[in-house]
Amino acid sequence: MIIVIGAGPAGLAAAEAASRNGSEVALFDSASRMGGQYWRHRAAVSGYRSNRADEIFAKVSSAQSITHISEANIWSAEREGGLIRVNYLQGGIESSLTAEKVIIATGAYDRTLPFPGWDTPGSMTPGAAQSLLKGQGVLAGKRIIIAGTGPFLLPVATGLAEAGADIVALIDANSPLRWSLSPLALLTNIAKFSELMYYARLIRKYRIRPQFRRAVTAYEDGVATISAINSRFHIKPGKSQTMRADVVAVGWGFVPDLSLGGILGCAQRVDSDGTVIFEVDENQMSSQPHIWIAGEATGIGGADLSLVEGEIAGLAASGQTIEKALLRKRVRKQRFADALKRTYPVRDGWREWITSDTTICRCEEVKSQEIKDSVSDLGAEDSRTSKLFTRAGMGLCQGRMCSRNVSEIVSGITQCAVTDGERIAASNRPIAAPISLGQLSDGKNSR
Amino acid sequence: MTHTITFTFNGNAIQCEEGQSIAAALINSNQRELRRTRFGDEPRSIFCGIGICFDCVVLINGVANQRSCLVEAHDGMIVESAQ
Amino acid sequence: MKNPDAIVIGAGIVGASSALSLTNAGLKVLVIDRGAVSSGTTGAGEGNILVSDKDPGPELALALHSRNLWFEMQDDVGDSFELEAKGGVVVARRDDGPLMKLASEQSQHGVMIEKCNQSRLHELEPYLHPDISSGVFYPQDAQCQPMLAAAHVIRTVVQRGGEFISQAKVTRINVENGAVTGIETTRGTFNAPIIVNATGTWAGELAELAGSHLPIAPRKGFILVTEPTKKYIFHKVYDSDYVANVASSDADLQTSTVVEGTRSGTILIGASRERVGFDGAMNYEILRTLAAQATSLFPVLRDVQLLRAYRGFRPYAPDHLPVIGQDAKVKGLWHSAGHEGAGIGLAPGSAALITDAILGRDSFMDAAAFSPARFGRVKS
Ligand SMILES: Cc1cc2nc3c(=O)[nH]c(=O)nc-3n(C[C@H](O)[C@H](O)[C@H](O)COP(=O)(O)OP(=O)(O)OC[C@H]3O[C@@H](n4cnc5c(N)ncnc54)[C@H](O)[C@@H]3O)c2cc1C
Ligand SMILES: Cc1cc2nc3c(=O)[nH]c(=O)nc-3n(C[C@H](O)[C@H](O)[C@H](O)COP(=O)(O)OP(=O)(O)OC[C@H]3O[C@@H](n4cnc5c(N)ncnc54)[C@H](O)[C@@H]3O)c2cc1C
Ligand code: FES
């Protein structure tokens, strides 16, 4: 039996590949619908080459040896003899399942940066606007600004426009000219051009005017401040404008969720862009025996790369041969993912956008000045000690939103680079999803 | 044909489609503010939309800190913005 | 700093308090830590300042005095670390005989106690399980935020002319003619005739660096942290089994629940004790046990979500008493370590003892029971 955690592109591909030789697969996801963050749509999937999703849904649903365990949130995992047990909550009851092998494909969530007003209603991530629309059929607002950086802003903007929203601005902090830094990645991924053209056509159709090297640097009372920024993300003086919007959706790439792999002891490293990811070998195997990892958790690279990684992981875990061509395909997609990182970097000039009373930790309402004081008055030297003094990162989300930003703010004051050890420590959490004390204690009695 | 259901939010009846999340239903009914924060009494709404940030937490049938972006609305649910 | 009078190694609560009392006694103090302030066990502690869990004897005497010194330290440093005399409630689930006997003995040694019947107990803790009918209220039990305390105390030391150097790991303790002369660290060499080893769980390694020996070992503990809730728990509440556990030297896991609310609204549930060296692995069975014990004390917690669990390593000596005093072999090397699960509570008292000993003053109690020499002179 192989447990696949996550039914996004990577997990679906893994389950499908593993089922080809009849291996039993339990495909877990916390959501009721398959598809992960990108493909979890209510009705038919729309967007660029959406048939890919339909194809794989069909295969997974018809495979006899795949059991889809939906609405099951895995909160922890443990080794038990030679086996691995995952503990999960489903319908308010804790259960567990044990298997020889596990494939982790838990994906990622939007990375966010603080700015004045980012904690007021109407400010959200592009992923939130996207999931409201595609998952729920609800428009987040009427006048919407989409901002941040990265190609993911395009489908969000065009999707919302298509549904009738007025996209008053589509703003990328980086210039697309940066693609010229990665000619090889572009040449070997020609298909990406047609994807770009697909979105370019839609952008023209809905009269969205993209702007570059700008950022939303404040949002107050329904008015967003849009500032011109330089390549280090410092605001260029005298070049700001304001714009009314009932939604500002700002995202800065993605952060993988490492909790479960971390609990199982899978080795991690810091990627070139500061993201903590899992180390995997050629076959997507982690540092731990019988655990494979695929998708965003091994490096942010988008759905295409996730699909290939998932397929490789599924084949490897089920003991099937992996064609060289598939491995080469991953190299190509990986090259494109690296180019994405090079083209859409997040620079630390954002630390100047915040003011002393900007909220940094949304859960515990810790302001930027408190973080600064924890360093200069109390001697905090990293996000952990700052957290102990200010509570930043101790709230309900357990630092998923703020800990990286706290590290960067602290490092801006101490002038010491954030260490890999600090980044890795701040990315790991022993409880992958909240569980009530009652559920936890009932688990004891049933064992 | 989608089925319409009704739940209450802070005592007001909210109608939505079956299968919608509580947060989506509330935003669709122009109810953006989901709660106020415990220290600063600041209004909050959904932020990440996928269950990571916990900004959208509400009291559902008396149980605190439930993520309204994840929980599907059901007929007769009592939803309140605590704190 | 040129020529400090004393070097304190360790910026946990024990080192910080020692540095403050030495500074207040007129010494120029340099504090050294391999990490930041509170980066050791102090950063994992719960902040209980307890007298209720101590048997009559030297540790109770230290705890009682130390508890009062906490409030003096607050006056000295400023109200900045959430110190609160919230009181402790110890309940007996089955036979309340041993608890009542202990309470009577404690009261003869200066501990304030109030034996509680069912209705008094539930007046103190309205959400307690209705079946629990006997307990003792200890009004002196207090609580603080230990990481903030250590940071504010170090800050005060620096304001009063001391110095703190972080990220400096001590790699050598220099000894000449049987007396310390200074230390070598990853950030340079520092000399002083007095060195205080306040490295908690790592104090044995430090003693080794000076060619001496201290039998201090780690004892792992887990703590559960819940989501913020409305106020359900008003004191520190624990099961009387806890007292038996604290004094146990059984290597196997023991758990007994201590439940308390914090100012931020979260509830802390601790604490398990096991001696498994520095094995940091999460043990979900322990979490389940702690959750089961907490919910059986307070059924209302069943619906409360667990957010986080963390672990720390308490420094313990074979006889469960702290080690406070001059090294048995090396002159000028002073130890204040091995406070196990009570280092927060005992920190200012230990600081007073070590300062008095260093200065050759009389102290509030006889510290012989804590002497490093009690383990015998091993290896020479
Ligand atoms: C909100 C959002 C919207 C996005 N929209 C687009 C888009 O429109 N276009 C685009 O190109 N890219 C989009 N992306 C990026 C896209 O998500 C990724 O490129 C791709 O989905 C990665 O696939 P994956 O399989 O690695 O992870 P995901 O698709 O993220 O799948 C991971 C799955 O694991 C499940 N999971 C995680 N932890 C647990 C657990 N403990 N227990 C049970 N299940 C768990 C999650 O519920 C999820 O379904 C979006 C990302 C986000 C966060
Ligand atoms: C889960 C748990 C709960 C607890 N709850 C409580 C409680 O409620 N009440 C209570 O009183 N106690 C409690 N304790 C115990 C308490 O935390 C400890 O006894 C206390 O923190 C010890 O303080 P310390 O200053 O001696 O050690 P530490 O805080 O560990 O400080 C020692 C310092 O020495 C430094 N160091 C080590 N080696 C070197 C070196 N070579 N060079 C330089 N620096 C070095 C370390 O970096 C560290 O900062 C608890 C402990 C745990 C694990
Ligand atoms: S909006 Fe982030 S958890 Fe619901």
Side-chain angles (χ1 to χ4, degrees), chain A residues 75-78 85 87 94 263 364 377-382 384-385 387-391 393-398 429-431 433-445 447, chain C residues 35-40 43-44 145 147-148 151-152 155 164 166-167 224 226-228 262 264 266 269 282 284-285 287-289 291-292 294-295 301-310:
Chain A
W75 73 272
S76 66
E78 326 169 54
R85 185 174 73 204
N87 301 314
E94 201 210 346
I263 289 170
E364 294 297 305
D377 289 4
L378 297 177
E381 297 180 7
D382 52 24
R384 174 173 183 258
T385 36
K387 167 171 95 178
L388 294 177
F389 299 153
T390 63
R391 302 192 50 76
M394 283 200 185
L396 285 170
C397 91
Q398 286 293 295
R429 295 167 185 88
I431 313 287
I435 175 167
S436 77
L437 295 177
Q439 288 158 342
L440 195 58
S441 19
D442 293 348
K444 164 127 197 118
N445 303 334
R447 208 146 283 175
Chain C
V37 60
S38 298
S39 56
Q145 210 279 32
M147 315 84 178
L148 271 181
H152 279 281
R155 185 169 80 142
F164 172 47
S166 64
Q167 314 296 341
L224 310 190
T226 72
E227 65 185 343
T262 64
S264 59
T266 55
I269 300 164
M282 195 38 68
Y284 292 98
E285 263 332 281
L287 305 196
R288 290 182 195 283
T289 306
T295 52
L301 297 184
R302 283 190 59 85
D303 273 344
V304 171
Q305 311 267 322
L306 172 66
L307 274 195
R308 188 158 64 102
Y310 65 87

Side-chain angles (χ1 to χ4, degrees), chain A residues 162-211:
Chain A
E162 209 164 9
D166 186 4
I167 303 300
V168 294
L170 168 60
I171 303 167
D172 198 304
N174 287 296
S175 155
L177 295 175
R178 294 183 58 86
W179 274 111
S180 62
L181 297 172
S182 317
L184 189 61
L186 283 180
L187 286 175
T188 50
N189 288 275
I190 293 294
K192 284 285 169 190
F193 274 125
S194 49
E195 182 167 359
L196 192 66
M197 293 319 292
Y198 171 85
Y199 287 115
R201 249 194 331 274
L202 289 176
I203 282 175
R204 256 199 319 279
K205 175 170 167 197
Y206 296 112
R207 295 170 200 282
I208 303 170
R209 237 174 294 131
Q211 305 177 35

Side-chain angles (χ1 to χ4, degrees), chain C residues 239-271:
Chain C
D239 216 319
S240 48
D241 302 348
Y242 176 74
V243 183
N245 254 349
V246 170
S248 162
S249 45
D250 185 346
D252 292 344
L253 164 75
Q254 298 147 340
T255 52
S256 48
T257 341
V258 186
V259 186
E260 66 174 296
T262 64
R263 263 193 212 180
S264 59
T266 55
I267 295 169
L268 301 183
I269 300 164

Side-chain angles (χ1 to χ4, degrees), chain C residues 12-14 33-34 41-42 46-48 170 202 312 340-345:
Chain C
I13 191 62
V14 172
D33 200 291
R34 65 176 173 198
T41 312
T42 299
E46 250 180 305
N48 291 323
V170 176
W202 301 274
E340 196 160 348
I344 314 293

